[in-house]
Amino acid sequence: MSEGLKIGITCYPSLGGSGVVATELGKLLAERGHQIHFITHNIPFRLGSKFQKNIQYHEVDVNDYYVFRYPPYDLSLASKMAQVANLQQLDLLHVHYAVPHAVCAYLAKQMAHPDLKVVTTLHGTDITVLAQDESLKDMIRFAINQSDAVTAVSQDLINQTREMLDINRDIDLTYNFIDKRVYYPRDIAHLRSEFAYPHEKILMHISNFRPVKRVSDVVEVFAKVHEQIPSRLVFVGEGPDMPKVQCMIRNMGLEDRVHFLGKQDEIAQVISLADVLLLPSEKESFGLVALEAMACGVPTIGSEAGGIPELVTHGETGYLAPVGDTDKMAEHAVQLLSNDQLAAQMREACLHRARHVFCNDLITWEYEKIYYRVLNREVMNAKPSC
Ligand code: GMT
């Protein structure tokens, strides 16, 4: 183990994959002896409020003086980052999601001690959606170019960042990861009977129900599968497209087949109920939820969007089809759900791939390597074998 670092982490602390990745990474780094300082406007939901060794939380207070039409959150964040960096003598700031975090980190760096480094992790829509906005594009490009290191969660996102922003600098690939102590197949026999009869299959979708997730495709796929195999659909999460989806389900007469669980904390437990996860997204830089499912032995049927093909191996750990091709997705689901031997094989392949390719120890070590590189220090710890 090399000498511990002092790392400031900024992310969106509420629900969302980038916040999950940032918080879980911070917890793992703290376990490995680094001093972690979360600098956010609320306690990250995955952190909890219990004392944890090597972790501190610094709350960003926003000044809402009456002359401000919009309270200046970005400036308050940058100022807090600089204060914490100076007070705690941070080695680096690791910011997750380019907007506004990478820009705030740039500003903080100008105000903080001269050795402070900035590592930016791109997660998805910070590039695929926000970098299309002409009012933000130049600023995102600037913040990326000014960071000491930039990482992205899939090769597809690296390619898109280069193309959309005309960026040539190095970008490290750092896939999402799962903590194998939390994500493993749970014993849910007692729970399953609450949702389905023994002869029925469970299809599941978990998301924030934004248009980019194409939740109506989930309903279409389910309806087509249910025509051939008695099934149930379980939705987890909530968001803007929820009313549209509920209306669609009513119109299709599927109400008694569909369960809405809302937001859930015990995702490993919930996912273990499923026979298959549906992820037909329009854009998806990685698809953390498909990895969480994979780690619980549940294959994904999804779209070929973004980084999903880097995660889900077609025919081995799930099936992929072009965005919007619900016929193909349903066909694959029927193929999988009607063949117990195939389902068992895929389950094993899922467990193996999640544990060996996306394991927490490996990806944490990859982030550490990047930290030591930007600090010009030697990495002492060897690559972990997962
Ligand atoms: O980009 C977003 O939609 C938000 C972001 C988040 O905070 O949830 O999600 C992205 O980051 C995750 C963690 O790296 C990825 O697993 C998701 O695929 C990605 N979402 C999209 O690209 C739509």
Coordinates of all heavy atoms in Angstrom, one line a residue, residues 99-187:
V99 N -20.3 19.3 -15.8 CA -21.0 20.6 -15.6 C -21.7 20.6 -14.2 O -22.5 19.7 -14.0 CB -22.1 20.8 -16.7 CG1 -22.7 22.1 -16.6 CG2 -21.6 20.5 -18.1
P100 N -21.5 21.5 -13.4 CA -20.4 22.5 -13.5 C -19.1 22.1 -12.8 O -18.2 22.9 -12.6 CB -21.1 23.7 -12.7 CG -21.8 23.0 -11.6 CD -22.3 21.7 -12.1
H101 N -19.1 20.8 -12.3 CA -18.0 20.5 -11.4 C -16.6 20.7 -11.9 O -15.7 21.1 -11.2 CB -18.2 19.1 -10.9 CG -19.5 18.9 -10.2 ND1 -20.2 17.7 -10.2 CD2 -20.4 19.7 -9.6 CE1 -21.4 17.8 -9.6 NE2 -21.5 19.1 -9.2
A102 N -16.4 20.4 -13.2 CA -15.0 20.5 -13.7 C -14.6 22.0 -13.8 O -13.5 22.4 -13.7 CB -14.9 19.8 -15.1
V103 N -15.6 22.8 -14.1 CA -15.4 24.2 -14.3 C -15.1 24.8 -12.9 O -14.2 25.6 -12.7 CB -16.6 24.9 -14.9 CG1 -16.4 26.4 -15.1 CG2 -17.0 24.3 -16.2
C104 N -15.9 24.4 -11.9 CA -15.7 24.9 -10.5 C -14.3 24.5 -10.0 O -13.6 25.2 -9.3 CB -16.7 24.3 -9.6 SG -18.4 24.8 -10.0
A105 N -13.9 23.2 -10.4 CA -12.6 22.8 -9.9 C -11.5 23.6 -10.6 O -10.4 23.9 -9.9 CB -12.4 21.3 -10.3
Y106 N -11.7 24.0 -11.8 CA -10.7 24.9 -12.5 C -10.5 26.2 -11.7 O -9.4 26.6 -11.4 CB -11.1 25.2 -13.9 CG -10.2 26.2 -14.6 CD1 -9.0 25.9 -15.0 CD2 -10.7 27.5 -14.7 CE1 -8.2 26.9 -15.6 CE2 -9.9 28.5 -15.2 CZ -8.6 28.2 -15.7 OH -7.8 29.2 -16.2
L107 N -11.7 26.8 -11.4 CA -11.7 28.0 -10.6 C -11.0 27.8 -9.2 O -10.2 28.6 -8.8 CB -13.1 28.5 -10.5 CG -13.3 29.9 -9.9 CD1 -12.5 31.0 -10.5 CD2 -14.8 30.2 -10.0
A108 N -11.4 26.7 -8.6 CA -10.8 26.5 -7.3 C -9.3 26.3 -7.3 O -8.6 26.8 -6.5 CB -11.4 25.2 -6.7
K109 N -8.8 25.7 -8.4 CA -7.4 25.5 -8.6 C -6.6 26.8 -8.6 O -5.5 26.9 -8.2 CB -7.1 24.6 -9.8 CG -5.7 24.2 -10.0 CD -5.6 23.2 -11.1 CE -4.1 23.0 -11.4 NZ -3.8 22.0 -12.3
Q110 N -7.3 27.8 -9.2 CA -6.6 29.1 -9.3 C -6.5 29.8 -8.0 O -5.6 30.6 -7.7 CB -7.4 30.1 -10.3 CG -7.8 29.5 -11.6 CD -6.7 28.9 -12.3 OE1 -5.6 29.5 -12.6 NE2 -6.9 27.6 -12.7
M111 N -7.4 29.4 -7.1 CA -7.4 30.0 -5.7 C -6.7 29.2 -4.7 O -6.4 29.8 -3.6 CB -8.9 30.2 -5.3 CG -9.8 31.1 -6.1 SD -11.5 30.7 -5.9 CE -11.7 31.2 -4.2
A112 N -6.4 28.0 -5.0 CA -5.8 27.1 -3.9 C -4.3 27.0 -4.0 O -3.7 27.7 -4.9 CB -6.4 25.7 -4.1
H113 N -3.7 26.2 -3.2 CA -2.3 26.1 -3.2 C -1.8 25.5 -4.5 O -2.5 24.8 -5.2 CB -1.8 25.1 -2.0 CG -2.3 23.7 -2.2 ND1 -1.6 22.8 -3.0 CD2 -3.3 23.0 -1.6 CE1 -2.2 21.6 -2.9 NE2 -3.2 21.8 -2.1
P114 N -0.6 25.8 -4.9 CA -0.1 25.6 -6.3 C 0.0 24.1 -6.7 O 0.1 23.8 -7.9 CB 1.2 26.3 -6.4 CG 1.7 26.4 -5.0 CD 0.5 26.5 -4.1
D115 N 0.0 23.2 -5.7 CA 0.3 21.8 -6.1 C -1.0 21.0 -6.4 O -1.0 19.9 -6.7 CB 1.1 21.1 -5.0 CG 2.4 21.7 -4.9 OD1 3.0 22.2 -5.9 OD2 2.9 21.8 -3.7
L116 N -2.2 21.7 -6.2 CA -3.4 21.0 -6.3 C -3.7 20.5 -7.7 O -3.5 21.3 -8.7 CB -4.6 21.9 -5.9 CG -6.0 21.3 -5.9 CD1 -6.1 20.3 -4.7 CD2 -7.1 22.4 -5.8
K117 N -4.1 19.3 -7.9 CA -4.4 18.7 -9.2 C -5.9 18.5 -9.3 O -6.6 18.3 -8.3 CB -3.6 17.4 -9.4 CG -2.1 17.5 -9.3 CD -1.5 18.3 -10.4 CE 0.0 18.3 -10.2 NZ 0.6 19.4 -11.0
V118 N -6.3 18.4 -10.6 CA -7.8 18.2 -10.8 C -7.9 17.0 -11.7 O -7.3 16.9 -12.8 CB -8.4 19.4 -11.5 CG1 -9.9 19.1 -11.9 CG2 -8.4 20.6 -10.5
V119 N -8.7 16.0 -11.3 CA -9.1 14.9 -12.1 C -10.6 15.0 -12.4 O -11.4 15.1 -11.5 CB -8.8 13.5 -11.4 CG1 -9.3 12.3 -12.3 CG2 -7.3 13.4 -11.1
T120 N -11.0 14.9 -13.7 CA -12.4 15.0 -14.0 C -12.9 13.7 -14.6 O -12.2 13.1 -15.5 CB -12.6 16.1 -15.1 OG1 -12.3 17.3 -14.5 CG2 -14.1 16.2 -15.6
T121 N -14.0 13.2 -14.1 CA -14.6 12.0 -14.7 C -15.9 12.3 -15.4 O -16.8 13.0 -14.9 CB -14.9 10.9 -13.6 OG1 -13.6 10.4 -13.1 CG2 -15.7 9.7 -14.2
L122 N -15.9 12.0 -16.7 CA -17.1 12.2 -17.6 C -18.0 11.0 -17.4 O -17.6 9.9 -17.5 CB -16.7 12.4 -19.0 CG -15.6 13.5 -19.2 CD1 -15.2 13.5 -20.7 CD2 -16.1 14.8 -18.8
H123 N -19.3 11.3 -17.2 CA -20.2 10.1 -17.0 C -21.2 9.9 -18.1 O -21.8 8.8 -18.1 CB -21.0 10.4 -15.7 CG -20.1 10.1 -14.5 ND1 -20.1 8.8 -13.9 CD2 -19.3 10.8 -13.7 CE1 -19.3 8.8 -12.9 NE2 -18.8 10.0 -12.8
G124 N -21.5 10.9 -18.9 CA -22.5 10.5 -20.0 C -23.2 11.8 -20.5 O -22.6 12.4 -21.4
T125 N -24.3 12.1 -20.0 CA -25.1 13.3 -20.5 C -24.3 14.6 -20.4 O -24.7 15.6 -21.0 CB -26.5 13.3 -19.9 OG1 -26.3 13.2 -18.5 CG2 -27.4 12.3 -20.5
D126 N -23.3 14.6 -19.5 CA -22.5 15.9 -19.4 C -21.8 16.1 -20.8 O -21.5 17.2 -21.2 CB -21.4 15.8 -18.3 CG -20.7 14.5 -18.1 OD1 -21.0 13.6 -18.8 OD2 -19.8 14.5 -17.3
I127 N -21.7 15.0 -21.6 CA -21.1 15.2 -23.0 C -22.3 15.0 -24.0 O -22.5 15.8 -24.8 CB -20.0 14.1 -23.2 CG1 -18.8 14.3 -22.2 CG2 -19.5 14.1 -24.7 CD1 -18.2 15.7 -22.3
T128 N -22.9 13.8 -23.9 CA -23.9 13.5 -25.0 C -25.1 14.4 -25.1 O -25.7 14.5 -26.2 CB -24.4 12.0 -24.8 OG1 -25.0 11.9 -23.5 CG2 -23.2 11.0 -24.9
V129 N -25.4 15.1 -24.0 CA -26.5 16.0 -24.1 C -26.0 17.5 -23.9 O -26.2 18.3 -24.8 CB -27.6 15.7 -23.0 CG1 -28.7 16.8 -23.0 CG2 -28.2 14.4 -23.2
L130 N -25.3 17.7 -22.8 CA -24.9 19.1 -22.5 C -23.9 19.7 -23.5 O -23.9 20.9 -23.8 CB -24.4 19.2 -21.1 CG -25.5 18.9 -20.1 CD1 -25.0 18.9 -18.6 CD2 -26.7 19.8 -20.2
A131 N -23.0 18.8 -24.0 CA -22.0 19.4 -25.0 C -22.6 19.7 -26.3 O -21.9 20.3 -27.2 CB -20.8 18.4 -25.1
Q132 N -23.9 19.4 -26.5 CA -24.6 19.8 -27.7 C -25.2 21.2 -27.6 O -25.6 21.8 -28.5 CB -25.7 18.9 -28.0 CG -25.3 17.5 -28.5 CD -26.4 16.7 -29.0 OE1 -27.2 17.2 -29.7 NE2 -26.4 15.4 -28.8
D133 N -25.2 21.7 -26.4 CA -25.7 23.0 -26.1 C -24.6 24.1 -26.3 O -23.6 24.1 -25.7 CB -26.2 23.1 -24.6 CG -26.7 24.4 -24.2 OD1 -26.5 25.4 -24.8 OD2 -27.5 24.4 -23.2
E134 N -24.9 24.9 -27.3 CA -23.8 25.9 -27.7 C -23.4 26.8 -26.6 O -22.3 27.3 -26.6 CB -24.3 26.7 -29.0 CG -24.3 25.9 -30.3 CD -23.0 25.3 -30.7 OE1 -21.9 25.9 -30.4 OE2 -23.0 24.2 -31.3
S135 N -24.3 27.0 -25.7 CA -24.0 27.9 -24.6 C -23.1 27.3 -23.5 O -22.5 28.0 -22.7 CB -25.3 28.4 -23.9 OG -25.9 27.4 -23.1
L136 N -22.9 26.0 -23.6 CA -22.0 25.3 -22.6 C -20.8 24.7 -23.3 O -19.8 24.4 -22.6 CB -22.8 24.2 -21.9 CG -24.0 24.6 -21.1 CD1 -24.8 23.3 -20.6 CD2 -23.5 25.4 -19.8
K137 N -20.9 24.4 -24.6 CA -19.9 23.6 -25.3 C -18.5 24.0 -25.1 O -17.6 23.3 -24.7 CB -20.3 23.6 -26.8 CG -19.5 22.7 -27.6 CD -20.1 22.7 -29.0 CE -19.4 21.6 -29.8 NZ -20.1 21.4 -31.1
D138 N -18.2 25.3 -25.3 CA -16.8 25.8 -25.2 C -16.3 25.7 -23.8 O -15.1 25.5 -23.5 CB -16.8 27.3 -25.6 CG -17.0 27.4 -27.1 OD1 -16.9 26.4 -27.8 OD2 -17.2 28.5 -27.6
M139 N -17.2 25.9 -22.8 CA -16.8 25.9 -21.4 C -16.5 24.5 -21.0 O -15.5 24.2 -20.3 CB -18.0 26.4 -20.5 CG -17.5 26.8 -19.1 SD -19.0 27.2 -18.2 CE -20.0 25.8 -18.3
I140 N -17.3 23.5 -21.5 CA -17.0 22.1 -21.2 C -15.6 21.7 -21.8 O -14.8 21.0 -21.1 CB -18.1 21.1 -21.7 CG1 -19.4 21.5 -21.0 CG2 -17.8 19.7 -21.5 CD1 -20.7 20.7 -21.5
R141 N -15.4 22.1 -23.0 CA -14.1 21.8 -23.7 C -13.0 22.4 -22.9 O -12.0 21.7 -22.6 CB -14.1 22.3 -25.1 CG -12.8 22.0 -25.8 CD -12.7 22.7 -27.2 NE -13.7 22.4 -28.1 CZ -14.7 23.2 -28.5 NH1 -14.7 24.5 -28.0 NH2 -15.6 22.9 -29.4
F142 N -13.2 23.6 -22.5 CA -12.1 24.3 -21.7 C -11.8 23.6 -20.4 O -10.6 23.3 -20.1 CB -12.6 25.7 -21.4 CG -11.6 26.5 -20.5 CD1 -10.5 27.1 -21.1 CD2 -11.9 26.7 -19.2 CE1 -9.6 27.8 -20.3 CE2 -11.0 27.4 -18.4 CZ -9.9 27.9 -18.9
A143 N -12.8 23.2 -19.7 CA -12.6 22.5 -18.4 C -12.0 21.2 -18.6 O -11.1 20.8 -17.8 CB -14.0 22.4 -17.7
I144 N -12.4 20.5 -19.6 CA -11.7 19.2 -19.9 C -10.3 19.3 -20.2 O -9.4 18.7 -19.7 CB -12.5 18.4 -21.1 CG1 -13.8 18.0 -20.6 CG2 -11.7 17.3 -21.6 CD1 -14.7 17.3 -21.6
N145 N -10.0 20.3 -21.1 CA -8.6 20.5 -21.5 C -7.7 21.0 -20.3 O -6.5 20.8 -20.3 CB -8.5 21.5 -22.6 CG -8.8 20.8 -23.9 OD1 -8.6 19.6 -24.1 ND2 -9.4 21.5 -24.9
Q146 N -8.3 21.7 -19.3 CA -7.6 22.2 -18.2 C -7.4 21.2 -17.1 O -6.6 21.4 -16.2 CB -8.3 23.5 -17.6 CG -8.3 24.7 -18.5 CD -6.9 25.2 -18.9 OE1 -6.0 25.2 -18.0 NE2 -6.7 25.5 -20.1
S147 N -8.1 20.1 -17.1 CA -8.0 19.1 -16.0 C -6.6 18.4 -16.1 O -6.1 18.3 -17.3 CB -9.1 18.1 -16.1 OG -10.3 18.7 -16.0
D148 N -6.1 18.0 -15.0 CA -4.8 17.3 -15.1 C -4.9 15.9 -15.6 O -4.0 15.3 -16.2 CB -4.1 17.3 -13.7 CG -3.8 18.7 -13.2 OD1 -2.9 19.3 -13.8 OD2 -4.5 19.3 -12.4
A149 N -6.1 15.3 -15.4 CA -6.4 14.0 -16.0 C -7.9 14.0 -16.2 O -8.7 14.6 -15.4 CB -6.0 12.8 -15.1
V150 N -8.3 13.3 -17.3 CA -9.8 13.1 -17.5 C -10.0 11.7 -17.7 O -9.3 11.0 -18.4 CB -10.1 13.9 -18.8 CG1 -11.6 13.7 -19.2 CG2 -9.8 15.4 -18.7
T151 N -11.1 11.2 -17.1 CA -11.5 9.8 -17.3 C -12.9 9.8 -17.9 O -13.7 10.7 -17.6 CB -11.4 8.9 -16.0 OG1 -12.6 9.0 -15.3 CG2 -10.2 9.4 -15.2
A152 N -13.2 8.7 -18.5 CA -14.6 8.5 -19.0 C -15.0 7.1 -18.8 O -14.1 6.2 -18.8 CB -14.7 8.9 -20.5
V153 N -16.3 6.8 -18.6 CA -16.8 5.5 -18.2 C -17.0 4.5 -19.3 O -17.4 3.3 -19.0 CB -18.0 5.6 -17.3 CG1 -17.8 6.5 -16.1 CG2 -19.2 6.2 -18.1
S154 N -16.7 4.8 -20.5 CA -16.7 3.8 -21.6 C -15.8 4.4 -22.7 O -15.6 5.6 -22.8 CB -18.1 3.5 -22.1 OG -18.7 4.6 -22.6
Q155 N -15.4 3.4 -23.6 CA -14.7 3.9 -24.8 C -15.6 4.7 -25.7 O -15.1 5.6 -26.3 CB -14.1 2.6 -25.5 CG -13.2 2.9 -26.7 CD -12.0 3.8 -26.3 OE1 -11.3 3.5 -25.3 NE2 -11.8 4.9 -27.1
D156 N -16.9 4.3 -25.7 CA -17.8 5.1 -26.6 C -17.9 6.5 -26.1 O -17.9 7.4 -26.9 CB -19.2 4.4 -26.5 CG -20.2 5.2 -27.4 OD1 -20.2 4.9 -28.6 OD2 -20.9 6.0 -26.8
L157 N -17.9 6.7 -24.8 CA -17.9 8.1 -24.3 C -16.6 8.9 -24.6 O -16.7 10.1 -24.9 CB -18.2 8.1 -22.8 CG -18.4 9.5 -22.1 CD1 -19.6 10.2 -22.8 CD2 -18.7 9.3 -20.6
I158 N -15.5 8.2 -24.6 CA -14.2 8.8 -25.0 C -14.4 9.2 -26.4 O -14.1 10.4 -26.8 CB -13.1 7.8 -24.8 CG1 -12.9 7.5 -23.3 CG2 -11.8 8.4 -25.4 CD1 -11.7 6.5 -23.0
N159 N -14.8 8.3 -27.3 CA -14.9 8.7 -28.7 C -15.9 9.8 -28.9 O -15.6 10.8 -29.7 CB -15.5 7.5 -29.5 CG -14.5 6.3 -29.4 OD1 -13.4 6.4 -29.0 ND2 -15.0 5.1 -29.8
Q160 N -17.0 9.8 -28.2 CA -18.0 10.9 -28.4 C -17.4 12.2 -27.9 O -17.7 13.3 -28.5 CB -19.3 10.6 -27.6 CG -20.0 9.4 -28.2 CD -21.5 9.7 -28.1 OE1 -22.0 10.7 -28.4 NE2 -22.2 8.6 -27.7
T161 N -16.7 12.2 -26.8 CA -16.1 13.4 -26.3 C -15.1 14.0 -27.3 O -15.1 15.2 -27.6 CB -15.3 13.1 -25.0 OG1 -16.2 12.5 -24.1 CG2 -14.8 14.4 -24.3
R162 N -14.3 13.1 -27.9 CA -13.4 13.6 -28.9 C -14.1 14.2 -30.1 O -13.7 15.3 -30.6 CB -12.5 12.4 -29.4 CG -11.6 11.9 -28.4 CD -10.5 11.1 -29.1 NE -9.7 10.4 -28.1 CZ -8.9 11.0 -27.2 NH1 -8.8 12.3 -27.2 NH2 -8.2 10.3 -26.3
E163 N -15.1 13.5 -30.6 CA -15.8 13.9 -31.8 C -16.6 15.2 -31.5 O -16.5 16.2 -32.3 CB -16.8 12.9 -32.3 CG -16.2 11.8 -33.1 CD -17.0 10.6 -33.2 OE1 -18.3 10.7 -33.2 OE2 -16.5 9.5 -33.3
M164 N -17.4 15.2 -30.5 CA -18.3 16.4 -30.3 C -17.6 17.6 -29.9 O -18.0 18.7 -30.1 CB -19.3 16.0 -29.2 CG -20.3 14.9 -29.7 SD -21.4 14.4 -28.4 CE -22.4 15.9 -28.2
L165 N -16.4 17.5 -29.1 CA -15.8 18.7 -28.6 C -14.4 18.9 -29.3 O -13.7 19.8 -28.9 CB -15.6 18.5 -27.1 CG -16.9 18.6 -26.3 CD1 -16.6 18.2 -24.8 CD2 -17.5 19.9 -26.3
D166 N -14.1 18.0 -30.3 CA -12.8 18.2 -31.0 C -11.7 18.2 -29.9 O -10.9 19.2 -29.9 CB -12.9 19.5 -31.8 CG -11.8 19.6 -32.8 OD1 -11.2 18.5 -33.1 OD2 -11.4 20.7 -33.2
I167 N -11.6 17.2 -29.1 CA -10.6 17.1 -28.1 C -9.6 16.1 -28.4 O -9.9 15.0 -28.8 CB -11.3 16.8 -26.7 CG1 -11.9 18.1 -26.2 CG2 -10.4 16.2 -25.7 CD1 -12.7 18.0 -24.9
N168 N -8.3 16.4 -28.2 CA -7.2 15.5 -28.6 C -6.5 14.9 -27.4 O -5.7 14.0 -27.5 CB -6.2 16.2 -29.5 CG -6.8 16.6 -30.8 OD1 -7.6 15.9 -31.4 ND2 -6.6 17.9 -31.2
R169 N -6.7 15.5 -26.3 CA -5.9 15.1 -25.1 C -6.2 13.6 -24.7 O -7.2 13.0 -25.1 CB -6.2 16.0 -23.9 CG -7.6 15.9 -23.4 CD -7.8 16.4 -22.0 NE -6.9 15.7 -21.1 CZ -6.4 16.2 -20.0 NH1 -6.7 17.4 -19.6 NH2 -5.6 15.4 -19.2
D170 N -5.3 13.0 -23.9 CA -5.5 11.7 -23.4 C -6.8 11.7 -22.5 O -7.0 12.6 -21.7 CB -4.3 11.2 -22.5 CG -3.2 10.9 -23.4 OD1 -3.3 10.7 -24.6 OD2 -2.1 10.8 -22.8
I171 N -7.6 10.6 -22.6 CA -8.7 10.4 -21.7 C -8.6 8.9 -21.3 O -8.5 8.0 -22.1 CB -10.0 10.6 -22.4 CG1 -10.1 12.1 -22.9 CG2 -11.2 10.4 -21.4 CD1 -11.4 12.4 -23.7
D172 N -8.5 8.7 -20.0 CA -8.4 7.4 -19.4 C -9.8 6.7 -19.4 O -10.8 7.3 -19.0 CB -7.8 7.4 -18.0 CG -6.4 7.8 -18.0 OD1 -5.5 7.0 -18.3 OD2 -6.1 9.0 -17.7
L173 N -9.8 5.4 -19.7 CA -11.0 4.6 -19.6 C -11.2 4.0 -18.2 O -10.3 3.3 -17.7 CB -11.0 3.5 -20.6 CG -12.1 2.5 -20.6 CD1 -13.5 3.1 -20.8 CD2 -11.9 1.4 -21.7
T174 N -12.2 4.4 -17.5 CA -12.4 3.9 -16.1 C -13.9 3.4 -16.0 O -14.8 4.2 -15.8 CB -12.2 4.9 -15.0 OG1 -12.8 6.1 -15.4 CG2 -10.7 5.1 -14.8
Y175 N -14.1 2.1 -16.3 CA -15.5 1.6 -16.3 C -16.1 1.8 -14.9 O -15.4 1.9 -13.9 CB -15.5 0.1 -16.6 CG -15.3 -0.2 -18.1 CD1 -14.3 -1.1 -18.5 CD2 -16.0 0.4 -19.0 CE1 -14.1 -1.5 -19.8 CE2 -15.8 0.1 -20.4 CZ -14.9 -0.8 -20.8 OH -14.7 -1.2 -22.1
N176 N -17.5 1.8 -14.9 CA -18.2 1.7 -13.6 C -17.8 0.3 -13.0 O -17.4 -0.6 -13.6 CB -19.7 1.7 -13.8 CG -20.3 3.1 -14.3 OD1 -21.5 3.2 -14.5 ND2 -19.5 4.1 -14.3
F177 N -18.0 0.2 -11.7 CA -17.7 -1.0 -11.0 C -18.8 -1.4 -10.0 O -19.6 -0.6 -9.7 CB -16.4 -0.8 -10.2 CG -16.4 0.4 -9.3 CD1 -16.8 0.2 -8.0 CD2 -16.1 1.6 -9.7 CE1 -16.9 1.3 -7.1 CE2 -16.1 2.7 -8.9 CZ -16.6 2.6 -7.6
I178 N -18.7 -2.6 -9.4 CA -19.6 -3.0 -8.4 C -18.8 -3.5 -7.2 O -17.7 -4.1 -7.4 CB -20.6 -4.1 -8.8 CG1 -20.0 -5.1 -9.7 CG2 -21.9 -3.5 -9.4 CD1 -19.5 -6.3 -9.0
D179 N -19.4 -3.2 -6.0 CA -18.7 -3.8 -4.8 C -19.3 -5.2 -4.6 O -20.5 -5.4 -4.4 CB -19.1 -2.9 -3.6 CG -18.3 -3.3 -2.4 OD1 -17.9 -4.5 -2.3 OD2 -18.1 -2.4 -1.5
K180 N -18.4 -6.2 -4.8 CA -18.9 -7.6 -4.8 C -19.4 -8.0 -3.4 O -20.1 -9.0 -3.3 CB -17.9 -8.5 -5.4 CG -16.5 -8.4 -4.7 CD -15.5 -9.3 -5.5 CE -14.1 -9.2 -4.9 NZ -13.5 -7.9 -5.0
R181 N -19.1 -7.2 -2.4 CA -19.6 -7.5 -1.1 C -21.1 -7.2 -0.9 O -21.8 -7.6 0.0 CB -18.8 -6.8 0.0 CG -17.3 -7.2 0.0 CD -16.5 -6.2 0.8 NE -16.5 -4.9 0.3 CZ -15.8 -3.8 0.7 NH1 -15.0 -4.0 1.8 NH2 -15.9 -2.7 0.2
V182 N -21.5 -6.3 -1.8 CA -22.9 -5.9 -1.8 C -23.8 -6.5 -2.9 O -24.9 -6.9 -2.8 CB -23.0 -4.3 -1.9 CG1 -24.4 -3.8 -1.9 CG2 -22.2 -3.7 -0.8
Y183 N -23.2 -6.5 -4.1 CA -23.9 -7.0 -5.3 C -23.5 -8.5 -5.6 O -22.5 -8.8 -6.2 CB -23.6 -6.1 -6.5 CG -24.3 -4.8 -6.4 CD1 -23.7 -3.7 -5.8 CD2 -25.6 -4.7 -6.8 CE1 -24.3 -2.5 -5.6 CE2 -26.3 -3.5 -6.6 CZ -25.7 -2.4 -6.0 OH -26.3 -1.2 -5.8
Y184 N -24.4 -9.3 -5.1 CA -24.3 -10.8 -5.4 C -25.8 -11.3 -5.3 O -26.7 -10.6 -4.8 CB -23.4 -11.5 -4.3 CG -23.9 -11.3 -2.9 CD1 -24.8 -12.1 -2.3 CD2 -23.5 -10.2 -2.2 CE1 -25.3 -11.9 -1.0 CE2 -23.9 -9.9 -0.9 CZ -24.8 -10.8 -0.3 OH -25.3 -10.6 0.9
P185 N -26.0 -12.5 -5.9 CA -27.4 -13.0 -6.0 C -27.9 -13.2 -4.6 O -27.3 -13.9 -3.8 CB -27.3 -14.3 -6.7 CG -26.0 -14.3 -7.4 CD -25.1 -13.4 -6.6
R186 N -29.0 -12.5 -4.3 CA -29.6 -12.7 -2.9 C -30.7 -13.8 -2.9 O -31.3 -14.1 -4.0 CB -30.3 -11.3 -2.5 CG -29.4 -10.1 -2.6 CD -28.3 -10.3 -1.5 NE -27.5 -9.1 -1.5 CZ -27.7 -8.0 -0.7 NH1 -28.7 -8.0 0.1 NH2 -26.9 -7.0 -0.8
D187 N -30.9 -14.3 -1.7 CA -31.9 -15.4 -1.6 C -33.3 -14.7 -1.5 O -33.6 -14.1 -0.4 CB -31.6 -16.2 -0.4 CG -32.7 -17.3 -0.1 OD1 -33.5 -17.4 -1.1 OD2 -32.6 -17.9 0.9

